Amino acid sequence: MVEVKANPSNLLEALSNNDVTFFIPPYQRNYEWTEGTCRVFFSDIKAVADSNLQGTYAEHFFGSIVYVVEESGFGLPDRYVLTDGQQRITTSMLFLMALRDCLTDEDYKSTVQKRYLENERATEDTEYKIKLKQVETDWEAYKLLALSKEVPQELRNSSVFLNYQLFRRLLEPMDQLSLKQLLEKGLMKFSIISIQLEPDRNPWENPQEIFESMNSLGKPLSLADLVRNYLLMGKSSSDQTKLYNDFWLALEKRLPGRLSEFIRDWMQ
């Protein structure tokens, strides 16, 4: 019987941990939650907040977060390399960015920024500063939103930007007290199960194999996804990032949406 470390915890407590920066490894998919899924997420936050405000204690189970810990050296937060939970954490961060930008209380805005979106243990010029490091194709738009900067027109078709805009539209009609209650009585009551993998100690806890297994019942991985994962499997996260940025990303840019077709034709 295989034993894995699994601990119940609170989503926002995990995101507020300054000893940690979440990283999405190159073998993960791009962020792809739809408007419909984001609307369900928003409705869940509102339903939990409404119950708690009416005196009926409520929580919402938000699924599992599976990760590998990589120590980063003295003075830097550890890297939590995500195997599962990328889409949910990204969506939560986008909601928090939209909430921040709808608030008028500067102290409250600063608290949201410093507690959940930035890492105070990291300096401005390191990749650890922003709490969640996206895959490269989503990173530029996400980074600009996290830092409250203007997103250029060429990046506004990404799901990252579109879902941030959706949350802005849903939040802007609400008064300031209701916005704070959505956070304090809603999203703060979202619970998760944290599962730490230890592949160095337990070879069967291979993050990429687990990622493929966990995704086998949902939207199927494409041929390009499977080939990318196979080529990167077994490499350190730094090697994965270098190989992905130097080689794989160039193929994705030259063959947008057609990489699986290209690989199939090349193999034939």
Side-chain angles (χ1 to χ4, degrees), residues 152-207:
Q153 195 64 43
E154 63 268 21
L155 297 176
R156 293 192 172 196
N157 288 327
S158 71
S159 294
V160 163
F161 182 77
L162 293 174
N163 288 343
Y164 161 81
Q165 287 288 84
L166 169 66
F167 289 134
R168 283 288 300 266
R169 292 196 302 272
L170 292 170
L171 292 167
E172 281 172 348
M174 302 178 71
D175 62 63
Q176 293 295 302
L177 177 59
S178 297
L179 292 176
K180 294 176 182 179
Q181 289 172 338
L182 272 187
L183 178 60
E184 296 169 16
K185 301 295 185 181
L187 192 58
M188 280 187 177
K189 306 300 181 183
F190 275 42
S191 60
I192 56 173
I193 294 291
S194 298
I195 301 174
Q196 180 183 344
L197 304 179
E198 298 180 287
D200 292 337
R201 180 180 173 187
N202 304 318
W204 56 84
E205 293 181 11
N206 184 293

Side-chain angles (χ1 to χ4, degrees), residues 64-68 81-85 193 195-197 210 214:
S64 61
I65 304 296
V66 185
Y67 60 90
V68 177
V81 182
L82 290 170
T83 293
D84 186 56
I193 294 291
I195 301 174
Q196 180 183 344
L197 304 179
I210 290 172
M214 294 182 83

